[in-house]
Amino acid sequence: MKVKENMVEFLSILDSQIKSDQELHDSISSIDLNIDELKEDILQREIIVPIIGPFSAGKSSLINSFLETDYLPVGITPETSLATEIRYSENERIECIMSDNSDKPDIYSLSDFEKIKEKANAYEYMVVYLNNPNLKRIQPAVLVDMPGFESPVDIHNKAILNYLGKGIFYVVVISVESGTLPRSFLNRLKGLESLQRDFEVILNKVNLKSEKDVLAIKEKIEEDIKTYLNFDKEVHLVGENGGKILEKILTSLNTDELIKKMYLPDLKYKTFQVVDTIETIISSMQKTVEQNDKEIKALEKEIESLIKEKDKKIREIESKHSSTNVNRILSSIEREMIAQKDYLANIAVSSPDKFSKIVNDMVVNVLSVDVPNIISDIGSEIIDDVGVHLKSIQNSSDLGVNIPTNWISEKATQLKDNLLFSITNKLEQYKNTARAAAVILAVTTNFIAPVLELIIIALPDIVNKLLSSSIEQKQKEKAKSIIMTQIIPSLKAELRPKLLEIVNNEIKKLTTNVINEYENMLRLKKDSIEQAQKNLKEKAEEISVKISKYQNIKKNIVDSYNKYLS
């Protein structure tokens, strides 16, 4: 892949330029560049493609058709379905990953699917390795046969949380027998869109309907996607042999663009940090020792104030955003349940055991859409607030020298442009996820996981208690009334304290990370000026040579960025 080679080549040049001058290398050592680790991550990057859809939509049959052999079992029950990665390997086998996060997977032969079925509840997911030319041809794409949406809540939620950060591109499979794209499914697609994930839609089993009916269903699905997601998406029609259509989708993936989208913001930000450091050194070498001393003192004062004000700033942000955003999430859940009250009432009367599962999916969809927007909004405001705080310190400084007035504004702009990764910590859960998505994915998962645990525990009790009489009497209208007046308020009451706890924790982490990032920027600037101070004791001609050297290093880095990444 050309884009991978270009990124790795640029990182190699960036690394060599930094190491070409020991003083520059020392100044930049505090920046979390991790060049070797990032190069390895880029080279090993896969495009995980989950195949999602309702149970019995024909996902496994579609994959088997693509593989041109019936490797995957079809017609299995939702209770025993597992997320299944299908990978190329000359050593054919099945590896089942334990739910208890054991390092060593259970190994099976390809003929052992029945044995795996008996132990399905003990596994998180399984990986099927096949010596199949079609799998080899689509690399670095990796297919994942996901459990149907009708699978039990625990299996369903495990798959959601495991592949929320891994899935890069999705293939949505709908059976023509369903005749439509359910609202819950549209919400799921909207959630993918919020996480900046693209998808294609396959209408499967079209051989079971007349051509006229198939075209009508196709047009309706495309219209619903256009209305709900506001973009055009052609629905692919598949009959008994859909492997060629799936192959076309997979081979037409612009994997270079997908890789670029994942890594370019991070590379851009690293370049900005390095170039900014070089510019600071050059600027400081053109000043007097006294001027630099004053600027160092100003920076030390700002760092001290930033640390001192951290807890106060966290309390201010919590006070401003905590309840507001919890209400925002709860209102979205309420709106979604009200919009689907007829559907929920039908489920309550006809299949009450599925009611909690349907609400579970609604909450997942709402959080997938709302949380990324909430985190981006809060993060941007925190960045602005801290930037204003730093500017106010500058304005009140009595040291006679301030940091250039546009410096903090530039940093705020860079932070906001690169919010997804510039404030991230080392997130073990997402060590294989490009850092450009790590924060949003991590925070979204941090929201979803405990909320779903609460729903699994609390919602069945609420439903059983409030809907029992309605179910017995088969009264849809009464069920609808109970959903509107009792279940929704009860669910909101159960979710509110948990959401407040989660939101406050995430706000605290987000605020701390933003402040730490600003602090690191100030320290880096201070260290760079101090490094330049050492050179000011040298003769003027030697300083001129060093300045020229740094200018050349900067030019080489910028030119390489434009050559390999623009």
Side-chain angles (χ1 to χ4, degrees), residues 527-561:
D527 292 345
S528 300
I529 296 172
E530 289 176 339
Q531 185 66 48
Q533 285 283 63
K534 299 176 183 178
N535 295 316
L536 290 179
K537 299 175 183 178
E538 301 175 3
K539 296 178 181 179
E541 57 268 23
E542 293 175 347
I543 293 175
S544 177
V545 169
K546 281 187 174 291
I547 289 175
S548 178
K549 180 179 181 181
Y550 288 138
Q551 287 172 336
N552 285 333
I553 291 173
K554 173 189 168 184
K555 182 178 184 301
N556 290 339
I557 290 172
V558 173
D559 288 348
S560 296
Y561 179 91

PDB file of all heavy atoms in Angstrom, residues 527-561:
ATOM      1  N   ASP A 527      11.679  24.618  27.757  1.00  0.00           N
ATOM      2  CA  ASP A 527      12.888  23.815  27.573  1.00  0.00           C
ATOM      3  C   ASP A 527      13.631  24.209  26.296  1.00  0.00           C
ATOM      4  O   ASP A 527      14.874  24.223  26.257  1.00  0.00           O
ATOM      5  CB  ASP A 527      12.532  22.326  27.527  1.00  0.00           C
ATOM      6  CG  ASP A 527      12.026  21.804  28.864  1.00  0.00           C
ATOM      7  OD1 ASP A 527      12.218  22.490  29.877  1.00  0.00           O
ATOM      8  OD2 ASP A 527      11.416  20.715  28.864  1.00  0.00           O
ATOM      9  N   SER A 528      12.866  24.529  25.254  1.00  0.00           N
ATOM     10  CA  SER A 528      13.489  24.917  23.979  1.00  0.00           C
ATOM     11  C   SER A 528      14.237  26.240  24.122  1.00  0.00           C
ATOM     12  O   SER A 528      15.339  26.409  23.569  1.00  0.00           O
ATOM     13  CB  SER A 528      12.417  25.028  22.890  1.00  0.00           C
ATOM     14  OG  SER A 528      11.750  23.807  22.713  1.00  0.00           O
ATOM     15  N   ILE A 529      13.636  27.172  24.865  1.00  0.00           N
ATOM     16  CA  ILE A 529      14.306  28.461  25.081  1.00  0.00           C
ATOM     17  C   ILE A 529      15.569  28.262  25.918  1.00  0.00           C
ATOM     18  O   ILE A 529      16.623  28.845  25.639  1.00  0.00           O
ATOM     19  CB  ILE A 529      13.348  29.452  25.762  1.00  0.00           C
ATOM     20  CG1 ILE A 529      12.165  29.760  24.843  1.00  0.00           C
ATOM     21  CG2 ILE A 529      14.076  30.748  26.116  1.00  0.00           C
ATOM     22  CD1 ILE A 529      11.064  30.569  25.502  1.00  0.00           C
ATOM     23  N   GLU A 530      15.468  27.419  26.955  1.00  0.00           N
ATOM     24  CA  GLU A 530      16.636  27.149  27.792  1.00  0.00           C
ATOM     25  C   GLU A 530      17.757  26.495  26.984  1.00  0.00           C
ATOM     26  O   GLU A 530      18.938  26.784  27.197  1.00  0.00           O
ATOM     27  CB  GLU A 530      16.233  26.260  28.968  1.00  0.00           C
ATOM     28  CG  GLU A 530      15.371  26.986  30.005  1.00  0.00           C
ATOM     29  CD  GLU A 530      14.902  26.073  31.116  1.00  0.00           C
ATOM     30  OE1 GLU A 530      14.890  24.838  30.907  1.00  0.00           O
ATOM     31  OE2 GLU A 530      14.530  26.581  32.198  1.00  0.00           O
ATOM     32  N   GLN A 531      17.359  25.597  26.067  1.00  0.00           N
ATOM     33  CA  GLN A 531      18.362  24.961  25.203  1.00  0.00           C
ATOM     34  C   GLN A 531      19.038  26.013  24.333  1.00  0.00           C
ATOM     35  O   GLN A 531      20.258  25.993  24.139  1.00  0.00           O
ATOM     36  CB  GLN A 531      17.699  23.901  24.328  1.00  0.00           C
ATOM     37  CG  GLN A 531      18.663  23.087  23.484  1.00  0.00           C
ATOM     38  CD  GLN A 531      19.587  22.223  24.325  1.00  0.00           C
ATOM     39  OE1 GLN A 531      19.141  21.528  25.216  1.00  0.00           O
ATOM     40  NE2 GLN A 531      20.877  22.298  24.060  1.00  0.00           N
ATOM     41  N   ALA A 532      18.244  26.950  23.812  1.00  0.00           N
ATOM     42  CA  ALA A 532      18.806  28.009  22.966  1.00  0.00           C
ATOM     43  C   ALA A 532      19.728  28.924  23.765  1.00  0.00           C
ATOM     44  O   ALA A 532      20.716  29.456  23.223  1.00  0.00           O
ATOM     45  CB  ALA A 532      17.681  28.817  22.333  1.00  0.00           C
ATOM     46  N   GLN A 533      19.421  29.112  25.053  1.00  0.00           N
ATOM     47  CA  GLN A 533      20.248  29.975  25.894  1.00  0.00           C
ATOM     48  C   GLN A 533      21.708  29.501  25.918  1.00  0.00           C
ATOM     49  O   GLN A 533      22.628  30.314  25.949  1.00  0.00           O
ATOM     50  CB  GLN A 533      19.712  29.973  27.339  1.00  0.00           C
ATOM     51  CG  GLN A 533      18.447  30.776  27.561  1.00  0.00           C
ATOM     52  CD  GLN A 533      18.714  32.265  27.626  1.00  0.00           C
ATOM     53  OE1 GLN A 533      19.168  32.863  26.642  1.00  0.00           O
ATOM     54  NE2 GLN A 533      18.424  32.871  28.761  1.00  0.00           N
ATOM     55  N   LYS A 534      21.895  28.197  25.913  1.00  0.00           N
ATOM     56  CA  LYS A 534      23.248  27.653  25.961  1.00  0.00           C
ATOM     57  C   LYS A 534      24.068  28.104  24.743  1.00  0.00           C
ATOM     58  O   LYS A 534      25.278  28.316  24.833  1.00  0.00           O
ATOM     59  CB  LYS A 534      23.201  26.130  26.017  1.00  0.00           C
ATOM     60  CG  LYS A 534      22.486  25.584  27.251  1.00  0.00           C
ATOM     61  CD  LYS A 534      22.399  24.069  27.186  1.00  0.00           C
ATOM     62  CE  LYS A 534      21.627  23.509  28.360  1.00  0.00           C
ATOM     63  NZ  LYS A 534      21.485  22.010  28.277  1.00  0.00           N
ATOM     64  N   ASN A 535      23.362  28.237  23.605  1.00  0.00           N
ATOM     65  CA  ASN A 535      24.062  28.607  22.369  1.00  0.00           C
ATOM     66  C   ASN A 535      24.423  30.089  22.318  1.00  0.00           C
ATOM     67  O   ASN A 535      25.303  30.492  21.560  1.00  0.00           O
ATOM     68  CB  ASN A 535      23.201  28.251  21.154  1.00  0.00           C
ATOM     69  CG  ASN A 535      22.992  26.761  21.022  1.00  0.00           C
ATOM     70  OD1 ASN A 535      23.913  25.978  21.182  1.00  0.00           O
ATOM     71  ND2 ASN A 535      21.760  26.356  20.724  1.00  0.00           N
ATOM     72  N   LEU A 536      23.712  30.895  23.114  1.00  0.00           N
ATOM     73  CA  LEU A 536      23.935  32.342  23.048  1.00  0.00           C
ATOM     74  C   LEU A 536      25.300  32.736  23.608  1.00  0.00           C
ATOM     75  O   LEU A 536      25.760  33.859  23.402  1.00  0.00           O
ATOM     76  CB  LEU A 536      22.838  33.081  23.803  1.00  0.00           C
ATOM     77  CG  LEU A 536      21.452  33.032  23.149  1.00  0.00           C
ATOM     78  CD1 LEU A 536      20.421  33.769  23.995  1.00  0.00           C
ATOM     79  CD2 LEU A 536      21.487  33.626  21.748  1.00  0.00           C
ATOM     80  N   LYS A 537      25.936  31.830  24.321  1.00  0.00           N
ATOM     81  CA  LYS A 537      27.257  32.117  24.870  1.00  0.00           C
ATOM     82  C   LYS A 537      28.345  31.940  23.816  1.00  0.00           C
ATOM     83  O   LYS A 537      29.500  32.281  24.033  1.00  0.00           O
ATOM     84  CB  LYS A 537      27.524  31.196  26.057  1.00  0.00           C
ATOM     85  CG  LYS A 537      26.525  31.389  27.198  1.00  0.00           C
ATOM     86  CD  LYS A 537      26.755  30.370  28.311  1.00  0.00           C
ATOM     87  CE  LYS A 537      25.694  30.528  29.408  1.00  0.00           C
ATOM     88  NZ  LYS A 537      25.864  29.527  30.493  1.00  0.00           N
ATOM     89  N   GLU A 538      27.970  31.368  22.688  1.00  0.00           N
ATOM     90  CA  GLU A 538      28.942  31.150  21.623  1.00  0.00           C
ATOM     91  C   GLU A 538      29.109  32.415  20.783  1.00  0.00           C
ATOM     92  O   GLU A 538      28.362  33.373  20.915  1.00  0.00           O
ATOM     93  CB  GLU A 538      28.489  29.981  20.742  1.00  0.00           C
ATOM     94  CG  GLU A 538      28.334  28.676  21.510  1.00  0.00           C
ATOM     95  CD  GLU A 538      27.773  27.558  20.644  1.00  0.00           C
ATOM     96  OE1 GLU A 538      27.568  27.802  19.446  1.00  0.00           O
ATOM     97  OE2 GLU A 538      27.551  26.462  21.179  1.00  0.00           O
ATOM     98  N   LYS A 539      30.063  32.392  19.884  1.00  0.00           N
ATOM     99  CA  LYS A 539      30.311  33.544  19.026  1.00  0.00           C
ATOM    100  C   LYS A 539      29.165  33.738  18.038  1.00  0.00           C
ATOM    101  O   LYS A 539      28.476  32.784  17.681  1.00  0.00           O
ATOM    102  CB  LYS A 539      31.621  33.354  18.266  1.00  0.00           C
ATOM    103  CG  LYS A 539      32.848  33.307  19.182  1.00  0.00           C
ATOM    104  CD  LYS A 539      34.124  33.077  18.374  1.00  0.00           C
ATOM    105  CE  LYS A 539      35.337  33.004  19.302  1.00  0.00           C
ATOM    106  NZ  LYS A 539      36.591  32.755  18.543  1.00  0.00           N
ATOM    107  N   ALA A 540      29.022  34.960  17.585  1.00  0.00           N
ATOM    108  CA  ALA A 540      27.902  35.310  16.707  1.00  0.00           C
ATOM    109  C   ALA A 540      27.901  34.469  15.433  1.00  0.00           C
ATOM    110  O   ALA A 540      26.838  34.023  14.978  1.00  0.00           O
ATOM    111  CB  ALA A 540      27.963  36.795  16.353  1.00  0.00           C
ATOM    112  N   GLU A 541      29.098  34.225  14.854  1.00  0.00           N
ATOM    113  CA  GLU A 541      29.127  33.460  13.603  1.00  0.00           C
ATOM    114  C   GLU A 541      28.714  32.004  13.833  1.00  0.00           C
ATOM    115  O   GLU A 541      28.097  31.378  12.965  1.00  0.00           O
ATOM    116  CB  GLU A 541      30.506  33.516  12.939  1.00  0.00           C
ATOM    117  CG  GLU A 541      31.659  33.032  13.793  1.00  0.00           C
ATOM    118  CD  GLU A 541      32.316  34.157  14.588  1.00  0.00           C
ATOM    119  OE1 GLU A 541      31.647  35.188  14.825  1.00  0.00           O
ATOM    120  OE2 GLU A 541      33.495  34.009  14.937  1.00  0.00           O
ATOM    121  N   GLU A 542      29.053  31.465  15.016  1.00  0.00           N
ATOM    122  CA  GLU A 542      28.652  30.097  15.328  1.00  0.00           C
ATOM    123  C   GLU A 542      27.142  30.000  15.534  1.00  0.00           C
ATOM    124  O   GLU A 542      26.514  29.016  15.136  1.00  0.00           O
ATOM    125  CB  GLU A 542      29.394  29.609  16.574  1.00  0.00           C
ATOM    126  CG  GLU A 542      30.894  29.449  16.341  1.00  0.00           C
ATOM    127  CD  GLU A 542      31.634  29.076  17.613  1.00  0.00           C
ATOM    128  OE1 GLU A 542      31.031  29.190  18.696  1.00  0.00           O
ATOM    129  OE2 GLU A 542      32.808  28.686  17.515  1.00  0.00           O
ATOM    130  N   ILE A 543      26.585  31.021  16.146  1.00  0.00           N
ATOM    131  CA  ILE A 543      25.130  31.057  16.324  1.00  0.00           C
ATOM    132  C   ILE A 543      24.447  31.120  14.971  1.00  0.00           C
ATOM    133  O   ILE A 543      23.445  30.447  14.724  1.00  0.00           O
ATOM    134  CB  ILE A 543      24.723  32.276  17.189  1.00  0.00           C
ATOM    135  CG1 ILE A 543      25.250  32.096  18.620  1.00  0.00           C
ATOM    136  CG2 ILE A 543      23.199  32.445  17.188  1.00  0.00           C
ATOM    137  CD1 ILE A 543      25.017  33.286  19.503  1.00  0.00           C
ATOM    138  N   SER A 544      24.999  31.908  14.076  1.00  0.00           N
ATOM    139  CA  SER A 544      24.425  32.030  12.735  1.00  0.00           C
ATOM    140  C   SER A 544      24.440  30.687  12.013  1.00  0.00           C
ATOM    141  O   SER A 544      23.474  30.333  11.326  1.00  0.00           O
ATOM    142  CB  SER A 544      25.226  33.063  11.931  1.00  0.00           C
ATOM    143  OG  SER A 544      24.734  33.155  10.618  1.00  0.00           O
ATOM    144  N   VAL A 545      25.513  29.932  12.190  1.00  0.00           N
ATOM    145  CA  VAL A 545      25.612  28.607  11.562  1.00  0.00           C
ATOM    146  C   VAL A 545      24.538  27.676  12.130  1.00  0.00           C
ATOM    147  O   VAL A 545      23.885  26.932  11.393  1.00  0.00           O
ATOM    148  CB  VAL A 545      27.019  28.004  11.782  1.00  0.00           C
ATOM    149  CG1 VAL A 545      27.042  26.534  11.366  1.00  0.00           C
ATOM    150  CG2 VAL A 545      28.055  28.785  10.983  1.00  0.00           C
ATOM    151  N   LYS A 546      24.358  27.717  13.457  1.00  0.00           N
ATOM    152  CA  LYS A 546      23.353  26.862  14.087  1.00  0.00           C
ATOM    153  C   LYS A 546      21.950  27.227  13.620  1.00  0.00           C
ATOM    154  O   LYS A 546      21.119  26.355  13.348  1.00  0.00           O
ATOM    155  CB  LYS A 546      23.446  26.963  15.610  1.00  0.00           C
ATOM    156  CG  LYS A 546      24.564  26.137  16.220  1.00  0.00           C
ATOM    157  CD  LYS A 546      24.488  26.154  17.730  1.00  0.00           C
ATOM    158  CE  LYS A 546      25.524  25.206  18.334  1.00  0.00           C
ATOM    159  NZ  LYS A 546      25.190  23.798  18.066  1.00  0.00           N
ATOM    160  N   ILE A 547      21.667  28.543  13.548  1.00  0.00           N
ATOM    161  CA  ILE A 547      20.352  28.987  13.083  1.00  0.00           C
ATOM    162  C   ILE A 547      20.102  28.485  11.661  1.00  0.00           C
ATOM    163  O   ILE A 547      19.021  27.986  11.333  1.00  0.00           O
ATOM    164  CB  ILE A 547      20.231  30.529  13.146  1.00  0.00           C
ATOM    165  CG1 ILE A 547      20.158  30.997  14.597  1.00  0.00           C
ATOM    166  CG2 ILE A 547      18.994  31.002  12.367  1.00  0.00           C
ATOM    167  CD1 ILE A 547      20.156  32.505  14.757  1.00  0.00           C
ATOM    168  N   SER A 548      21.104  28.593  10.813  1.00  0.00           N
ATOM    169  CA  SER A 548      20.984  28.113   9.432  1.00  0.00           C
ATOM    170  C   SER A 548      20.735  26.603   9.397  1.00  0.00           C
ATOM    171  O   SER A 548      19.910  26.112   8.607  1.00  0.00           O
ATOM    172  CB  SER A 548      22.257  28.452   8.658  1.00  0.00           C
ATOM    173  OG  SER A 548      22.183  27.952   7.346  1.00  0.00           O
ATOM    174  N   LYS A 549      21.412  25.881  10.292  1.00  0.00           N
ATOM    175  CA  LYS A 549      21.227  24.423  10.350  1.00  0.00           C
ATOM    176  C   LYS A 549      19.796  24.081  10.746  1.00  0.00           C
ATOM    177  O   LYS A 549      19.147  23.208  10.131  1.00  0.00           O
ATOM    178  CB  LYS A 549      22.208  23.815  11.349  1.00  0.00           C
ATOM    179  CG  LYS A 549      22.083  22.299  11.469  1.00  0.00           C
ATOM    180  CD  LYS A 549      23.099  21.737  12.466  1.00  0.00           C
ATOM    181  CE  LYS A 549      22.959  20.217  12.550  1.00  0.00           C
ATOM    182  NZ  LYS A 549      23.925  19.633  13.522  1.00  0.00           N
ATOM    183  N   TYR A 550      19.269  24.771  11.769  1.00  0.00           N
ATOM    184  CA  TYR A 550      17.908  24.501  12.217  1.00  0.00           C
ATOM    185  C   TYR A 550      16.874  24.869  11.142  1.00  0.00           C
ATOM    186  O   TYR A 550      15.862  24.195  10.968  1.00  0.00           O
ATOM    187  CB  TYR A 550      17.602  25.258  13.511  1.00  0.00           C
ATOM    188  CG  TYR A 550      18.321  24.696  14.716  1.00  0.00           C
ATOM    189  CD1 TYR A 550      18.904  25.538  15.655  1.00  0.00           C
ATOM    190  CD2 TYR A 550      18.433  23.331  14.909  1.00  0.00           C
ATOM    191  CE1 TYR A 550      19.572  25.030  16.766  1.00  0.00           C
ATOM    192  CE2 TYR A 550      19.101  22.809  16.009  1.00  0.00           C
ATOM    193  CZ  TYR A 550      19.675  23.661  16.932  1.00  0.00           C
ATOM    194  OH  TYR A 550      20.329  23.148  18.021  1.00  0.00           O
ATOM    195  N   GLN A 551      17.168  25.953  10.421  1.00  0.00           N
ATOM    196  CA  GLN A 551      16.263  26.348   9.335  1.00  0.00           C
ATOM    197  C   GLN A 551      16.239  25.276   8.246  1.00  0.00           C
ATOM    198  O   GLN A 551      15.181  24.988   7.674  1.00  0.00           O
ATOM    199  CB  GLN A 551      16.690  27.704   8.769  1.00  0.00           C
ATOM    200  CG  GLN A 551      16.375  28.871   9.707  1.00  0.00           C
ATOM    201  CD  GLN A 551      16.976  30.185   9.232  1.00  0.00           C
ATOM    202  OE1 GLN A 551      17.957  30.206   8.483  1.00  0.00           O
ATOM    203  NE2 GLN A 551      16.389  31.299   9.667  1.00  0.00           N
ATOM    204  N   ASN A 552      17.383  24.680   7.955  1.00  0.00           N
ATOM    205  CA  ASN A 552      17.441  23.606   6.958  1.00  0.00           C
ATOM    206  C   ASN A 552      16.706  22.365   7.434  1.00  0.00           C
ATOM    207  O   ASN A 552      16.017  21.696   6.649  1.00  0.00           O
ATOM    208  CB  ASN A 552      18.903  23.261   6.643  1.00  0.00           C
ATOM    209  CG  ASN A 552      19.573  24.295   5.769  1.00  0.00           C
ATOM    210  OD1 ASN A 552      18.899  24.978   4.990  1.00  0.00           O
ATOM    211  ND2 ASN A 552      20.884  24.431   5.886  1.00  0.00           N
ATOM    212  N   ILE A 553      16.857  22.035   8.721  1.00  0.00           N
ATOM    213  CA  ILE A 553      16.141  20.879   9.274  1.00  0.00           C
ATOM    214  C   ILE A 553      14.637  21.101   9.162  1.00  0.00           C
ATOM    215  O   ILE A 553      13.883  20.207   8.749  1.00  0.00           O
ATOM    216  CB  ILE A 553      16.547  20.644  10.746  1.00  0.00           C
ATOM    217  CG1 ILE A 553      17.992  20.151  10.820  1.00  0.00           C
ATOM    218  CG2 ILE A 553      15.607  19.638  11.411  1.00  0.00           C
ATOM    219  CD1 ILE A 553      18.538  20.050  12.234  1.00  0.00           C
ATOM    220  N   LYS A 554      14.207  22.295   9.541  1.00  0.00           N
ATOM    221  CA  LYS A 554      12.781  22.622   9.445  1.00  0.00           C
ATOM    222  C   LYS A 554      12.300  22.492   8.004  1.00  0.00           C
ATOM    223  O   LYS A 554      11.243  21.901   7.735  1.00  0.00           O
ATOM    224  CB  LYS A 554      12.541  24.041   9.962  1.00  0.00           C
ATOM    225  CG  LYS A 554      11.125  24.550   9.747  1.00  0.00           C
ATOM    226  CD  LYS A 554      11.019  26.029  10.093  1.00  0.00           C
ATOM    227  CE  LYS A 554       9.701  26.608   9.597  1.00  0.00           C
ATOM    228  NZ  LYS A 554       9.612  28.068   9.836  1.00  0.00           N
ATOM    229  N   LYS A 555      13.084  23.029   7.057  1.00  0.00           N
ATOM    230  CA  LYS A 555      12.699  22.961   5.646  1.00  0.00           C
ATOM    231  C   LYS A 555      12.619  21.512   5.172  1.00  0.00           C
ATOM    232  O   LYS A 555      11.687  21.128   4.450  1.00  0.00           O
ATOM    233  CB  LYS A 555      13.702  23.731   4.796  1.00  0.00           C
ATOM    234  CG  LYS A 555      13.360  23.758   3.304  1.00  0.00           C
ATOM    235  CD  LYS A 555      14.378  24.585   2.524  1.00  0.00           C
ATOM    236  CE  LYS A 555      13.971  24.691   1.052  1.00  0.00           C
ATOM    237  NZ  LYS A 555      13.858  23.381   0.389  1.00  0.00           N
ATOM    238  N   ASN A 556      13.566  20.694   5.573  1.00  0.00           N
ATOM    239  CA  ASN A 556      13.557  19.279   5.167  1.00  0.00           C
ATOM    240  C   ASN A 556      12.319  18.557   5.680  1.00  0.00           C
ATOM    241  O   ASN A 556      11.712  17.737   4.977  1.00  0.00           O
ATOM    242  CB  ASN A 556      14.813  18.583   5.680  1.00  0.00           C
ATOM    243  CG  ASN A 556      16.077  19.037   4.966  1.00  0.00           C
ATOM    244  OD1 ASN A 556      16.009  19.568   3.851  1.00  0.00           O
ATOM    245  ND2 ASN A 556      17.224  18.861   5.606  1.00  0.00           N
ATOM    246  N   ILE A 557      11.935  18.853   6.912  1.00  0.00           N
ATOM    247  CA  ILE A 557      10.754  18.211   7.497  1.00  0.00           C
ATOM    248  C   ILE A 557       9.484  18.649   6.769  1.00  0.00           C
ATOM    249  O   ILE A 557       8.638  17.827   6.398  1.00  0.00           O
ATOM    250  CB  ILE A 557      10.651  18.536   9.005  1.00  0.00           C
ATOM    251  CG1 ILE A 557      11.772  17.829   9.773  1.00  0.00           C
ATOM    252  CG2 ILE A 557       9.276  18.114   9.565  1.00  0.00           C
ATOM    253  CD1 ILE A 557      11.880  18.244  11.223  1.00  0.00           C
ATOM    254  N   VAL A 558       9.337  19.956   6.557  1.00  0.00           N
ATOM    255  CA  VAL A 558       8.145  20.482   5.876  1.00  0.00           C
ATOM    256  C   VAL A 558       8.077  19.975   4.438  1.00  0.00           C
ATOM    257  O   VAL A 558       7.010  19.563   3.961  1.00  0.00           O
ATOM    258  CB  VAL A 558       8.138  22.025   5.906  1.00  0.00           C
ATOM    259  CG1 VAL A 558       7.000  22.571   5.042  1.00  0.00           C
ATOM    260  CG2 VAL A 558       8.010  22.534   7.341  1.00  0.00           C
ATOM    261  N   ASP A 559       9.216  19.977   3.742  1.00  0.00           N
ATOM    262  CA  ASP A 559       9.234  19.480   2.365  1.00  0.00           C
ATOM    263  C   ASP A 559       8.862  17.995   2.311  1.00  0.00           C
ATOM    264  O   ASP A 559       8.131  17.557   1.411  1.00  0.00           O
ATOM    265  CB  ASP A 559      10.621  19.690   1.736  1.00  0.00           C
ATOM    266  CG  ASP A 559      10.914  21.150   1.418  1.00  0.00           C
ATOM    267  OD1 ASP A 559       9.964  21.965   1.472  1.00  0.00           O
ATOM    268  OD2 ASP A 559      12.079  21.471   1.143  1.00  0.00           O
ATOM    269  N   SER A 560       9.358  17.218   3.260  1.00  0.00           N
ATOM    270  CA  SER A 560       9.046  15.784   3.292  1.00  0.00           C
ATOM    271  C   SER A 560       7.569  15.554   3.594  1.00  0.00           C
ATOM    272  O   SER A 560       6.934  14.654   3.017  1.00  0.00           O
ATOM    273  CB  SER A 560       9.905  15.085   4.345  1.00  0.00           C
ATOM    274  OG  SER A 560      11.267  15.166   4.007  1.00  0.00           O
ATOM    275  N   TYR A 561       7.025  16.367   4.486  1.00  0.00           N
ATOM    276  CA  TYR A 561       5.585  16.257   4.789  1.00  0.00           C
ATOM    277  C   TYR A 561       4.774  16.511   3.518  1.00  0.00           C
ATOM    278  O   TYR A 561       3.851  15.751   3.187  1.00  0.00           O
ATOM    279  CB  TYR A 561       5.190  17.253   5.882  1.00  0.00           C
ATOM    280  CG  TYR A 561       3.720  17.219   6.221  1.00  0.00           C
ATOM    281  CD1 TYR A 561       3.236  16.388   7.227  1.00  0.00           C
ATOM    282  CD2 TYR A 561       2.799  18.005   5.524  1.00  0.00           C
ATOM    283  CE1 TYR A 561       1.888  16.330   7.535  1.00  0.00           C
ATOM    284  CE2 TYR A 561       1.450  17.952   5.811  1.00  0.00           C
ATOM    285  CZ  TYR A 561       1.004  17.122   6.824  1.00  0.00           C
ATOM    286  OH  TYR A 561      -0.337  17.078   7.106  1.00  0.00           O
TER     287      TYR A 561
END
